[in-house]
Amino acid sequence: MSAAKFSNPVVRWIDHRLPVFSMLDHTANEYPTPKNLNYMWNFGSLAGLSLVIMIVTGVVLAMSYTAHVDYAFESVERIMRDVNHGWLIRYIHMNTASFFFIVVYLHIFRGLYYGSYKAPRELLWILGVVIFLLMMATAFMGYVLPWGQMSFWGATVITNLFSAIPFVGESVVTFLWGGFSVDNPTLTRFFSLHYLMPFLIAGVVVLHIVALHRFGSNNPIGIDTKGRQDTISFHPYYTIKDMVGIAMFLLLLAIAVFFFPNAMGHPDNYIPANPMQTPAHIVPEWYFLPFYAILRAVPDKLGGVLLMFGAIAILFILPWLDRSPVRSARFRPVFRIFFWLLFIDALALGYLGAMPAEGIYVTLSRVATAWYFLHFLVILPMLGVFENTKPLPKSISEPVLATTGEAA
Amino acid sequence: MVKSTSNSKSPSADGVQEPARRDFIVVATYAMGAVGAAAVAWPLIDQMNPAADTLALASTEVDVSKIAEGQAITVTWRGKPVFIRHRTPDEIARANAIDGAELRDPQEDEARVQRPALLVVVGVCTHLGCVPLGQKTGDVKGDYDGWFCPCHGSHYDTSGRIRKGPAPTNLEVPPYNFLSDNVIRIG
């Protein structure tokens, strides 16, 4: 970590007084990383890239957007038609929002599969859940800004969730609206907060990375690294591996932006907001659908809201629900089955959230919701006690040597 | 300490350090990355240039037949004031009384008008962008009976040329043409 490692004298001079280059070098260059990471470890850097794309395109969009009920919709249409490359910038912003959630969901399931939330990485995991919550709030408020029909009614429905709070619910909702319905004060405060929150996310991301680098990345085997022989430097090995993922990510994003820009949106949002008429079939953005399904599965207003927030809150205590000392699902045959059941359950909830709340869909939503909580509250704690796990390798190198039969 | 591969050199047969093929690949990769970054940066920068609807407002049509002799009107062109003055014979004579070549920004009066009676200039002081006085009847018109900029004291003559004060150049004559005898289009 000595400043002498830099050949450029200007860098050396600065680093001696302000060790930013040493910090960067430690974080993104020599940082020792387990040598057996697979491509599931790409999604952290992809999420970071998504955040950067969102902030850059968002700052640019704000230059042409007008946060006022009379002008918001038209200013967005002006961005699409008149502002130079405005259509491109807005479509990138819209689609990267969806891609951000895809990447983060994969990142979360990666953590669930390989037990990345277990000691000593509990705070790392909790900070991740905080980022996830902030992302949801940011995405929700961003969707309100174009002031289309889905914007308006999405804002109405989601803010009304808080009216379920006993006694003070109505006052809370009035406070959130700044009036007696979703109106101009709601729009202007959502714009302000939508601009603020990505920077809060960036701040928590820094904490997330600090916590990550305290003990280093988890790995597919889930055992601790035991020295230099188990690690390789982050650069160039994982910068290159991340670049492969980034190239794929940008390719898929470009396909979405240029060929299917509205595939993950809803056509009703190209109708200007009308406070007098609700669209026939109102659904949130796809990334909220599993939670929306849980909300609708419960026949009680307060109960539905509590379960929906509980579905996320339960992730905060996950490190203490799963008491198995073995991290990776590779050595937990029973857990692995239940992991995939949870994965299917989450997909099913997403599907059910998009379906109308009637008939068989309600029953299925209840089963899927019950399974979600059963998994975390009953199955995981029991597996920690009753599961027979497979023997763990002695080191990260051992399985590699066993399969190749060669000395490293 | 693992260094970047771009620093690696492979010794050739005679022991001289030569750039490796890998160095070429690394440099080519950085170059492609730079081209890609520039291509992405351009739309983000260009969006700050005037939008299509802004450009669509870039010309203004004015009926000049209603301006009486000695009267001046102000119209808006690209968000800026444009002074249109129907000059009196006296004002035209005073504009021509001086040899334009001797001025700070040398220009003859004829070069600044299409019809001697009709002077069209952008009403923005060439010093730091204030709007000079002199359009209204009661306004201070400066020492040369044209316009006077109250911000830093620039005096313009009846041809809108700078005569005294800090402004470096004459009031700009915008591009305009006569659509008919009575109507001009600015821009």
Side-chain angles (χ1 to χ4, degrees):
Chain A
M1 285 303 289
S2 70
K5 75 202 301 179
F6 302 108
S7 53
N8 186 327
V10 178
V11 170
R12 250 196 332 259
W13 189 92
I14 294 173
D15 197 71
H16 187 62
R17 289 150 183 83
L18 178 73
V20 282
F21 295 103
S22 290
M23 269 172 57
L24 282 175
D25 185 66
H26 176 65
T27 318
N29 186 20
E30 53 121 40
Y31 169 61
T33 315
K35 63 183 180 183
N36 60 336
L37 298 191
N38 60 30
Y39 275 109
M40 286 309 292
W41 266 260
N42 272 28
F43 295 105
S45 67
L46 288 178
L49 176 69
S50 304
L51 179 63
V52 170
I53 295 175
M54 292 307 280
I55 289 178
V56 170
T57 53
V59 166
V60 163
L61 285 172
M63 292 180 187
S64 299
Y65 172 75
T66 309
H68 188 286
V69 289
D70 292 339
Y71 305 108
F73 189 88
E74 280 174 34
S75 76
V76 172
E77 285 307 303
R78 180 173 174 272
I79 288 170
M80 296 302 290
R81 292 154 193 256
D82 287 339
V83 173
N84 302 324
H85 312 287
W87 60 273
L88 175 63
I89 297 162
R90 176 163 174 263
Y91 277 156
I92 291 176
H93 196 74
M94 273 171 62
N95 284 281
T96 307
S98 281
F99 273 66
F100 199 174
F101 274 96
I102 295 174
V103 161
V104 162
Y105 279 133
L106 289 170
H107 192 62
I108 292 172
F109 274 107
R110 191 286 316 274
L112 289 174
Y113 187 84
Y114 293 110
S116 298
Y117 47 85
K118 293 189 185 182
R121 297 187 182 84
E122 302 96 323
L123 270 180
L124 173 61
W125 172 262
I126 287 170
L127 286 167
V129 181
V130 170
I131 293 172
F132 179 48
L133 274 176
L134 287 171
M135 275 177 66
M136 294 174 97
T138 311
F140 160 65
M141 288 189 283
Y143 195 55
V144 175
L145 301 184
W147 210 244
Q149 274 289 68
M150 279 296 169
S151 299
F152 183 89
W153 293 103
T156 301
V157 169
I158 301 295
T159 48
N160 263 317
L161 291 178
F162 294 92
S163 70
I165 303 169
F167 308 115
V168 293
E170 290 299 326
S171 315
V172 168
V173 172
T174 305
F175 170 76
L176 290 175
W177 287 340
F180 302 101
S181 63
V182 173
D183 208 337
N184 201 48
T186 327
L187 178 59
T188 49
R189 68 187 57 185
F190 276 20
F191 179 53
S192 170
L193 293 173
H194 181 70
Y195 206 122
L196 166 73
M197 295 188 76
F199 297 97
L200 297 183
I201 293 177
V204 184
V205 166
V206 170
L207 295 179
H208 193 64
I209 291 172
V210 170
L212 169 69
H213 286 224
R214 179 70 181 87
F215 295 102
S217 297
N218 185 28
N219 65 78
I221 295 180
I223 61 174
D224 293 328
T225 54
K226 294 189 173 65
R228 295 296 285 177
Q229 74 279 6
D230 286 341
T231 65
I232 46 180
S233 62
F234 189 81
H235 182 77
Y237 301 105
Y238 286 114
T239 42
I240 284 295
K241 192 158 185 152
D242 280 346
M243 287 302 289
V244 176
I246 287 171
M248 280 305 296
F249 173 85
L250 292 177
L251 185 67
L252 294 172
L253 178 63
I255 290 172
V257 165
F258 291 109
F259 297 102
F260 312 99
N262 292 302
M264 289 180 283
H266 202 289
D268 274 27
N269 219 30
Y270 285 103
I271 303 168
N274 180 358
M276 295 300 129
Q277 191 185 1
T278 309
H281 185 48
I282 170 165
V283 285
E285 290 280 80
W286 70 265
Y287 36 80
F288 293 135
L289 287 175
F291 302 101
Y292 193 58
I294 293 175
L295 172 75
R296 296 192 311 184
V298 185
D300 175 70
K301 184 175 176 179
L302 179 61
V305 172
L306 285 180
L307 273 201
M308 188 186 72
F309 284 112
I312 301 163
I314 209 165
L315 295 175
F316 281 110
I317 54 164
L318 173 61
W320 295 277
L321 292 173
D322 178 4
R323 302 309 301 249
S324 171
V326 177
R327 292 198 190 105
S328 173
R330 283 195 187 177
F331 306 102
R332 303 184 62 191
V334 185
F335 169 81
R336 197 158 62 207
I337 294 167
F338 282 109
F339 168 85
W340 287 112
L341 284 177
L342 178 74
F343 187 75
I344 293 165
D345 189 54
L347 291 181
L349 281 170
Y351 170 76
L352 293 166
M355 293 296 113
E358 56 199 30
I360 183 74
Y361 297 121
V362 177
T363 316
L364 288 174
S365 294
R366 285 177 189 165
V367 172
T369 302
W371 183 260
Y372 182 91
F373 286 97
L374 202 68
H375 176 90
F376 285 106
L377 293 176
V378 178
I379 294 170
L380 279 186
M382 282 174 58
L383 283 182
V385 178
F386 295 111
E387 187 179 26
N388 284 321
T389 57
K390 292 186 192 169
L392 291 173
K394 287 189 186 65
S395 75
I396 285 174
S397 302
E398 192 190 53
V400 182
L401 297 179
T403 51
T404 61
E406 290 170 16
Chain B
M1 173 66 212
V2 177
K3 295 296 285 184
S4 159
T5 50
S6 62
N7 296 334
S8 65
K9 298 279 187 287
S10 64
S12 66
D14 54 1
V16 179
Q17 296 278 303
E18 282 180 7
R21 292 180 188 187
R22 178 161 291 184
D23 288 316
F24 174 77
I25 293 171
V26 168
V27 171
T29 306
Y30 281 141
M32 281 306 293
V35 170
V40 170
W42 174 242
L44 298 171
I45 296 164
D46 189 41
Q47 56 84 24
M48 291 176 76
N49 276 316
D53 61 335
T54 311
L55 293 173
L57 295 175
S59 66
T60 301
E61 288 179 18
V62 188
D63 182 355
V64 293
S65 63
K66 302 287 195 301
I67 311 171
E69 194 174 278
Q71 191 194 359
I73 64 163
T74 305
V75 297
T76 308
W77 173 62
R78 288 182 177 176
K80 290 187 289 194
V82 169
F83 296 161
I84 304 176
R85 190 187 271 203
H86 189 162
R87 300 190 294 182
T88 60
D90 176 49
E91 286 172 333
I92 299 168
R94 290 178 60 183
N96 283 307
I98 184 161
D99 181 3
E102 291 173 7
L103 299 175
R104 179 182 303 167
D105 181 10
Q107 202 172 24
E108 297 294 343
D109 184 55
E110 300 128 48
R112 296 176 57 75
V113 288
Q114 293 181 20
R115 289 180 190 168
L118 199 70
L119 178 69
V120 182
V121 290
V122 176
V124 175
C125 180
T126 57
H127 182 220
L128 290 173
C130 296
V131 177
L133 300 173
Q135 286 294 90
K136 295 198 205 95
T137 325
D139 277 358
V140 180
K141 295 193 173 185
D143 295 355
Y144 300 88
D145 208 24
W147 289 271
F148 170 72
C149 182
C151 289
H152 306 96
S154 290
H155 298 255
Y156 296 94
D157 66 11
T158 54
S159 186
R161 292 173 297 192
I162 181 67
R163 298 294 284 272
K164 192 171 126 185
T169 58
N170 302 334
L171 291 179
E172 184 198 342
V173 178
Y176 67 94
N177 57 325
F178 283 87
L179 295 179
S180 68
D181 263 5
N182 294 332
V183 179
I184 63 168
R185 184 173 68 193
I186 305 169

